Amino acid sequence: MERFRSFLASDFFYAFKRAPVAIVSFCIAAFMILTAILAPLIAPTNPFDPSTLNLMNGFTAPFSKNDFTGDHFLLGTDDQGRDVFSTILYGLRISLFVGFSAVLFAMVLGVSLGLLAAMTGGRTDAIIMRIADVQLSFPAILIAMLVFGIAKGITPPELRNEVAVWVLIISIGLADWVQFARVVRGAAMVERQKEYVEAAMLIGRGRVAIALKHILPNILASVLVIATISLALAIITEATLSFLGVGAPPTQPSLGTLIRIGQGFLFSGEWWILLFPALTLLMLALSVNLLGDWLRNTLNPKMEK
Amino acid sequence: MFRFVGDPIENMLGQERTDADIDRLREQLGLNDPFIMQYWNFLSDALRGDMGISFRQGRPVVEILVERLPATLELAFVSAIIAIVVGVILGVYTAIRSKGFVTNLILTLSLIGVSLPTFLIGILLIYLFAVELNWLPSFGRGDVVQIGWWSTGLLTSSGLKAIILPAITLGLYQMTLIMRLVRSEMLEVMSADYIRFARARGLPERTINFRHALKNTLVPVITITGLQLGSIIAFAIITETVFQWPGVGLLFIDSVQFVDIPVMASYLMFISVMFVLINLIVDIVYVLIDPRLRIQGAA
């Protein structure tokens, strides 16, 4: 409680109160995360339980009744009678799960490699940063696709759908760690020269302890900013991969998979199967992006960009 | 590699296969050789320009790539032109009129544009111009003309129509990037002393904006644009899938889905070569554009 009160009184919260864009995008993002977590409770139907589906309900238009069964669906249904609203909730869940996990993975990997490079220097530093440079010159989506392609080959066909989500997380994470590593290394190099680090060395703390307990807390702000921006990127990357058919499988559709499915009905006039997942993805990506932008301007860490 | 990546024989032969067929194909592809031998064969063949045979189509990979390449390069070229021309114009405009309503509108739209995934922009354009208005085709290249081995869609009216939507989709992200870059560079240059001096000399606004300010923003713009050209070719994967554009990107996606390793490997080699080539060209263009670098080199 004490901590919460000091947070409310902080400069950070003051700046937040004065930025309507940040408040709105924070609310949208938080709302989406909440609905995704509570999806099984909120969703009117479970779209992946075949026993609850009625093919007669297929292609019901949004905001109206089905002609045959008289059932009502908020955002309409797809060709198999699945409620679009429920599939979006479950899709949002997968998209956010993959996004958060991939960023977490990239963050742990990038921060540890960045700290390692900054603390050891010399050859280790050179090797890590050259790998980062090489990877940075390729677009992240290509790296993710490459990792995904290899992983798909290694896993036996009958397991592919089950591990697809984890493969997705690892491939996006491996494509995104570079940003973290570069920024953490740069910031840690600066911190390492400061007096408090010298003092910690003087009293004989180990290098690992100095890196994790002294330097890391002081560069956490920049890590947070990159994590937010990476989250938007990871969500878009995941949606793109799934849209291309090399991401989340149809049995566990993310927003990208739903858009891929909906695209097929664009020409036959069932616009709602495509429009609502697309709008959800757009709102999610936009709100996280705006929030990241605002965070960067507010905390204003010296980032190389 | 093949030992881990699943058996290509499974994909190549259909249901009606005999053990003899399997053995024959295996021997023909050299898959019975030890791993090191296979890698050596791959490397020595690759140096001679032979990238192997596609597991899926049973044709030499180089032949397939060469056939698909013109489509991708034309698409990348057209979208790069759109991105550079429109990006620079908008960048200059938003820098000169830095406080107008139009400027704010353009900047807000560009932020939304960056957040929109490429494939959504593509679908949106298809919906608007192909489904609703029925002005432009939604997929394919239209009619193509063969000039030697190069097939071009830029000489026929249906080909030109077909390239508009994919090129805009592909170039939009790069356009916003170039626009923001030109804008921030221009704003910085505009406050420099030599611009104030040019004003003091009473030069017309147009001359100051274009001859003095824009020229000095070009070096960073060319760096980023050059690097972005490589990404345009790589990002063509997404655009080509949305518009079913028969280029190398679509080929790559198909090969990922069918675990067609020779095609995947060749495509990645091709992309890497493109990146290196583009970086080299950017370095050369620097020297041509900025006289200061030439003097440094001579001294």
Side-chain angles (χ1 to χ4, degrees), chain B residues 13-58:
Chain B
L13 293 175
Q15 296 263 312
E16 316 248 320
R17 62 186 174 204
T18 60
D19 283 352
D21 283 340
I22 294 176
D23 287 342
R24 193 166 44 78
L25 193 61
R26 208 179 276 277
E27 191 60 42
Q28 206 181 332
L29 290 171
L31 293 180
N32 286 332
D33 298 341
F35 174 66
I36 300 286
M37 275 299 288
Q38 286 189 32
Y39 186 58
W40 172 250
N41 285 339
F42 169 75
L43 279 187
S44 60
D45 284 351
L47 279 179
R48 273 181 260 130
D50 178 4
M51 299 300 295
I53 290 172
S54 160
F55 290 160
R56 183 149 170 257
Q57 305 192 22

Side-chain angles (χ1 to χ4, degrees), chain A residues 167-189:
Chain A
V167 170
L168 209 50
I169 290 170
I170 292 172
S171 31
I172 296 174
L174 280 181
D176 272 350
W177 67 273
V178 178
Q179 289 295 341
F180 289 99
R182 282 168 63 104
V183 172
V184 164
R185 175 178 171 270
M189 293 283 237

Side-chain angles (χ1 to χ4, degrees), chain A residues 137 146 236 245 286 289-290, chain B residues 4 111 115 127 241 257 268 275:
Chain A
S137 61
L146 181 67
I236 289 180
L286 195 61
N289 239 340
L290 287 172
Chain B
F4 305 110
L111 191 68
S115 304
Y127 184 70
T241 311
Q257 261 157 6
L268 290 170
F275 269 93

Side-chain angles (χ1 to χ4, degrees), chain A residues 137-142 145-146 148-150 152-155 160 233 236 239-241 243-246 256 259-260 263 266-267 271 274 277-279 281-282 285-287 289-290 293, chain B residues 1 4-6 111-112 114-120 123 126-127 130-131 138-139 173 180 230-231 234-235 237-238 241-243 252-253 256-259 264 267-268 271-272 275 279:
Chain A
S137 61
F138 281 97
I141 189 123
L142 211 62
M145 232 179 257
L146 181 67
F148 190 88
I150 294 173
K152 187 178 174 182
I154 298 173
T155 47
R160 268 181 202 164
L233 277 178
I236 289 180
T240 307
L241 288 175
F243 174 76
L244 294 176
V246 291
I259 293 170
R260 175 189 172 82
Q263 198 203 4
L266 186 59
F267 292 98
W271 49 271
L274 172 69
L279 273 182
L281 177 65
L282 175 62
L286 195 61
S287 60
N289 239 340
L290 287 172
D293 252 20
Chain B
M1 186 75 170
F4 305 110
V5 187
L111 191 68
I112 297 176
V114 171
S115 304
L116 262 174
T118 318
F119 64 92
L120 269 187
I123 294 176
I126 288 182
Y127 184 70
V131 179
S138 64
F139 64 90
Y173 183 78
R180 282 170 170 262
S231 322
F235 272 106
I237 295 175
I238 302 161
T241 311
V242 176
F243 289 93
F252 178 68
I253 278 294
V256 169
Q257 261 157 6
F258 287 94
V259 201
M264 279 163 75
Y267 175 79
L268 290 170
I271 289 283
S272 324
F275 269 93
N279 275 334

Side-chain angles (χ1 to χ4, degrees), chain B residues 94-104 183:
Chain B
T94 50
I96 296 174
R97 302 233 155 74
S98 60
K99 293 230 161 49
F101 169 73
V102 182
T103 301
N104 281 332
R183 177 170 186 268

Side-chain angles (χ1 to χ4, degrees), chain A residues 47-63:
Chain A
F48 305 107
D49 179 7
S51 65
T52 63
L53 296 180
N54 183 353
L55 276 180
M56 292 297 278
N57 277 331
F59 293 132
T60 312
F63 318 117

